[in-house]
Each structure stands twice: as structure tokens, then as C-alpha cells.
Amino acid sequence: MHRKILGAALALGVAHGAIAQTAPAGELRPDQVRFRALYKELVETNTSLSVGSCTEAAAKMGAHLKAAGFPDSDITYFSVPDHPKEGGVVAILHGSSKTAKPMLLLGHLDVVEAKRADWTRDPFTFIEEDGYFYGRGTSDMKVIDATWVDMLVRFKESKYTPKRTIKMALTCGEETLAAFNGADYLARNKRDLIDAEFALNEGGGGRADKDGHVQSQGVQVGEKVVQQFRMETTNPGGHSSVPIKDNAIYQLAQGLLKVRDYDFPLELNDVTRAFFAKAGAGRTDETGKAMVAIAKDPTDKAAEAQLNKDRGFHSMLRTTCVATLLDGGHAENALPQRAGANINCRMFPGDTMEGVKAQLEKAIGDPGVKLIPLQPIRGKSMPAPLDPKVIGPMEKVAAKYYPGAPVIPTMSTGASDALYLMPVGIPTYGVPGFYSGPEGSGAHGLNEHASVKSVYLGRDYLTELVKTLADAG
């Protein structure tokens, strides 16, 4: 896609709900220029677990809020002593209603590790090139974080008072179990601070075709559950000069191949069945036909085979497990006494750790390959209700910004911090808005990017959506 700027004024009257109009190509509105600078600042603040600091990023975002007029009493920073760089911030824009419950804007500041040697461009330098923004976090999920902060800044500066109080929580720890998870901390220890009728989060978004036309928008109302296993083999070992076939590394390798080749049984629930039926009906290709067919009959093997060609659909239809880390041996001139791998499983809602472990062990078929569940052991995921007071405005506003693209409830194949809010009574929705093409966004991988057009359009969409939800009360 080549760069197209969607813009003339979302009038300075954002408080009055103005809608974006077309601007001359290459020009940015003043509010977009400010947003781009904030987005750039956030991407270029390294928040990876190894060397970065979410605490620093939270402070920078808080400084923007304070400069816009938020009093100190409405900005709360939080962290714990043993994780000083993994802090976050909560901000509150008070509403006029004494009865309407608040809404919460949730975002994680941390990003997946990125090695400069592997990337085409410096992952922590914000680069705009050929219609895309490049950098770690440009899509997951600093574009949403920047949108939330920019939105609250503009609301405050324009003296807009919503009917419903708007809260924002930017946290750390979503991307790795080794970190301090701010969303979990707030849900357990500061529940009143983030109390809300519902929350808006990452996890939704749109799909565009190769020409950049948005075909659909998704709102995430469910997600898989992450469960890690340690796969391990042990052996007496010995001297490498007298090798034998009984080798811990070889045994582990055979087990890993069994995991690679095992497909968990196909599963559907109400959310995924509705997704395949609705999204498939909007397509005319073989994949669309297969989507409709699988929604009607989950035993249709031809439809399943067609959908399995798409990595995303394959994952949406079942639990998946994949090797992500590998280690083995203790000396270069010795037979290995131990070899191990991390198995990352994404469990379909309703599946249990015990059930997944049993299926893997049966597929591996070797009692010498041990599967050890790693903490934390997750419970079942809880879907958000399809509340028309939330879903309705998403659909209505989307019709203005993405005409003809249906808003479809989806189940994410990944996992998010909604996992911590749902159990404490805060239904959490992954928002529509930002979209990517068939090539994806590179999130968690190399050369992560976001379409320039998607960023500016999605920002305007979310601004109007939040205003609509906040004013409905």
C-alpha cells in the first residue's frame, strides 16, 4: 500500500464529534502531527524486558497528560520494588454522571525482544517508509497506547467532559511471564482504581486485501489461554568418542517432531462459529465457502483442510502447541545428560492443562520424554458478553470509517491482559480499528510495521468510538 493521508480536520471540536474528511495527499492535520510525535516517542522508548523500561515510558506518557491539564491526583504511577523498571500509570478523566459506571482503556507498554542484527531497520527507531511505520511496538501495541494518551490529552485540552468517567491503565508484563504484570497487579490490589463497567483493549482489528481495502473488522470477545510445558529428556551420558543411539538430544528431537506433526481436534464455540459463518459469507473464494461450511458442520473434513491452509484459521479451530526454546548438553565432548525445550500451548477455551498434557503425551508416545507443566497454570478463559451497548457503537462508528466492512466478534488465538480483568468483573473487548493486509504486521517477529493509512484512520475511529461510549453512559 502506498501512503494516503486521511485527513482534514477532525475538527478541533473533537468534543463535538466531528468526522474526518479527506485531506490533500501528503498533508497531516496539526493534531496528527502531534500524535505522530507521541507515537514516535513511545516506540523509541525501549520497553523490552532485557534492557528497556516500562516505568520510563509510563512517566513520559504521564508527562503528556500533566501538560494537558490533568492534576496529579488523577495520575497514579505504580510499580513494585523487585521490578522497578516494569511500572505503569493509571489516569482518570472524570465524567459528569454520578450514576454511569466508568469505562477503562487498557494497554500494555512492554514489547517483545528485538535484535538489531536480525532486523532490516533499527527496531527501536521509528521509521516511516513506503506507506508504513516500522519499529518494535508499532502494531503491538504502542499504536493503541499512543491513541489512548493522545485522546485523553485532546479531551482535556478541549475541556470536554464525558458523561461516563474514562480511565486509562498502561501496564507492563503482558509479553512475558518473567515480568511483573501490571494488569494482574491492578486487578488484585487496586481494583477500585480501575473499576469499570467494561474495558477496551487490544486483540481486535481489521483485515484488508492486497489493495488495502478493509474487508472486515473484528472485536475480540474471547481468547485462548497460554500454558507452557517443559519437555525434557535425561540420560546417563558418557564420552563423545563412543557415541550411542540412546542420546538425550536425539530423543528430545523425536518428541519435538511428534509435537510438530500433531493436530489437536477441531473445536468450535459460539464465538468462532459465528465468526466463520459471518466472515465467510462476505467472501466468494474457496476459503469463504469453507468458513461457512465448517460453521454448519464441524465434521466437514474438506472444509477443515481448506481452512488449515490459513495459519490463523488453523489456530482458531483448535488448541495449538509449538516449541519455542531449546537447550541441551553440558559439554562439547560429552554425550548429553539432559535436553529440554519449551512448549508454548494456546488452549482453546474450555480445554484444560491436564487434557492438553495427556493428548501431547499420547502423540509423543515415549514415556522417556517428560512434560512438566510450568507455572502459572492458567484457568479457563472467560468470554466477554456480546453487549449491544458496547458492540452496537462499534458497528455504528465503523460503518462511517470502514464502509461495507462488517464488525465480527472474534476469538483471539493469542492472549492478552483481558485474562486478568474478566475474572474480577470487568468485561474486556479487543477493539476494531487498526488493520493489516494479508502479509500481517510482523508483530512478535521481524520488521514489525503498521500501515500509515491504518494508523491515522484507526486513531480517528477509536476517538469517536470512545466518545460515543462515554457519552452514552
Side-chain angles (χ1 to χ4, degrees):
M1 289 176 282
H2 295 290
R3 178 179 179 182
K4 295 179 183 176
I5 302 302
L6 301 176
L10 170 67
L12 298 174
V14 67
H16 303 294
I19 301 170
Q21 306 296 321
T22 302
E27 294 182 10
L28 292 180
R29 306 188 309 254
D31 65 291
Q32 290 175 325
V33 172
R34 289 182 65 188
F35 166 77
R36 187 187 186 283
L38 189 153
Y39 183 27
K40 179 179 187 292
E41 177 185 28
L42 196 51
V43 170
E44 293 188 346
T45 303
N46 189 326
T47 53
S48 60
L49 182 63
S50 61
V51 299
S53 175
C54 289
T55 302
E56 179 185 355
K60 289 179 177 179
M61 296 302 100
H64 285 285
L65 297 171
K66 185 174 176 62
F70 279 82
D72 291 339
S73 58
D74 290 338
I75 303 174
T76 301
Y77 298 100
F78 62 93
S79 62
V80 291
D82 51 339
H83 294 271
K85 292 185 177 182
E86 295 158 34
V89 61
V90 176
I92 300 175
L93 180 67
H94 295 281
S96 60
S97 174
K98 297 184 181 299
T99 57
K101 287 196 68 175
M103 61 186 291
L104 175 67
L105 310 178
L106 180 66
H108 67 82
L109 293 166
D110 56 317
V111 295
V112 171
E113 301 290 338
K115 295 182 179 179
R116 175 64 186 94
D118 296 337
W119 281 55
T120 303
R121 307 161 190 83
D122 182 349
F124 295 103
T125 298
F126 184 79
I127 295 172
E128 182 176 350
E129 186 177 298
D130 296 331
Y132 292 92
F133 293 123
Y134 287 90
R136 178 58 91 211
T138 47
S139 65
D140 184 14
M141 64 167 287
K142 288 182 175 179
V143 67
I144 297 180
D145 298 334
T147 296
W148 293 156
V149 175
D150 166 79
M151 184 186 302
L152 291 184
V153 165
R154 289 191 290 150
F155 286 170
K156 194 70 170 179
E157 289 179 341
S158 66
K159 303 189 185 307
Y160 162 61
T161 300
K163 180 178 180 182
R164 183 198 301 272
T165 291
I166 302 172
K167 299 181 177 182
M168 179 191 71
L170 301 182
T171 67
C172 202
E174 196 271 351
E175 296 291 11
T176 173
L177 296 176
F180 161 68
N181 187 286
D184 185 29
Y185 170 82
L186 292 171
R188 291 175 183 270
N189 302 287
K190 303 288 184 180
R191 174 67 174 78
D192 290 345
L193 184 62
I194 60 168
D195 181 52
E197 185 172 345
F198 60 89
L200 303 183
N201 186 31
E202 64 171 339
R207 280 197 173 197
D209 62 20
K210 61 181 179 61
D211 297 317
H213 300 126
V214 180
Q215 298 173 308
S216 64
Q217 283 285 353
V219 50
Q220 179 188 315
V221 295
E223 60 184 47
K224 287 183 168 183
V225 174
V226 179
Q227 181 60 55
Q228 311 273 6
F229 293 91
R230 164 78 175 175
M231 179 189 282
E232 189 170 88
T233 56
T234 57
N235 192 280
H239 202 288
S240 63
S241 65
V242 284
I244 55 177
K245 291 185 179 180
D246 182 18
N247 182 303
I249 290 177
Y250 296 159
Q251 187 178 22
L252 179 75
Q254 291 298 320
L256 291 172
L257 291 176
K258 295 291 182 62
V259 172
R260 179 197 68 181
D261 294 336
Y262 180 65
D263 257 354
F264 283 81
L266 183 146
E267 298 184 73
L268 287 177
N269 58 23
D270 290 345
V271 174
T272 57
R273 185 177 288 107
F275 168 80
F276 282 112
K278 190 171 181 179
R283 300 175 59 150
T284 58
D285 57 4
E286 290 303 311
T287 297
K289 295 175 184 177
M291 293 168 74
V292 173
I294 209 72
K296 292 179 179 178
D297 180 10
T299 67
D300 188 328
K301 295 300 182 183
E304 179 183 355
Q306 177 65 31
L307 294 176
N308 283 346
K309 297 177 183 179
D310 183 294
R311 293 169 56 191
F313 294 156
H314 174 270
S315 182
M316 195 180 294
L317 287 167
R318 56 182 49 80
T319 289
T320 61
C321 293
V322 62
T324 56
L325 295 170
L326 189 65
D327 63 85
H330 59 284
E332 62 184 20
N333 59 351
L335 300 177
Q337 296 172 359
R338 188 180 304 273
N342 187 81
I343 305 298
N344 180 283
C345 294
R346 305 296 176 122
M347 301 189 302
F348 195 91
D351 287 1
T352 65
M353 180 277 291
E354 294 82 4
V356 169
K357 180 174 181 286
Q359 289 184 71
L360 286 176
E361 289 174 335
K362 183 177 180 180
I364 293 167
D366 181 353
V369 179
K370 304 300 183 183
L371 277 179
I372 306 162
L374 300 180
Q375 295 293 338
I377 295 175
R378 306 290 193 185
K380 295 180 179 179
S381 66
M382 303 170 62
L386 295 175
D387 187 344
K389 291 187 298 183
V390 178
I391 305 297
M394 290 180 176
E395 294 174 327
K396 182 178 179 181
V397 179
K400 298 179 182 179
Y401 290 88
Y402 312 100
V407 175
I408 304 172
T410 65
M411 180 195 75
S412 172
T413 57
S416 76
D417 282 334
L419 174 71
Y420 303 107
L421 298 192
M422 292 293 294
V424 299
I426 304 177
T428 305
Y429 301 86
V431 290
F434 304 109
Y435 59 86
S436 59
E439 80 286 350
S441 66
H444 288 211
L446 297 178
N447 305 312
E448 183 178 347
H449 57 276
S451 157
V452 172
K453 179 178 179 180
S454 165
V455 166
Y456 291 127
L457 186 60
R459 167 183 172 265
D460 285 351
Y461 167 78
L462 287 177
T463 300
E464 184 165 344
L465 174 64
V466 168
K467 271 199 81 277
T468 301
L469 290 168
D471 286 340

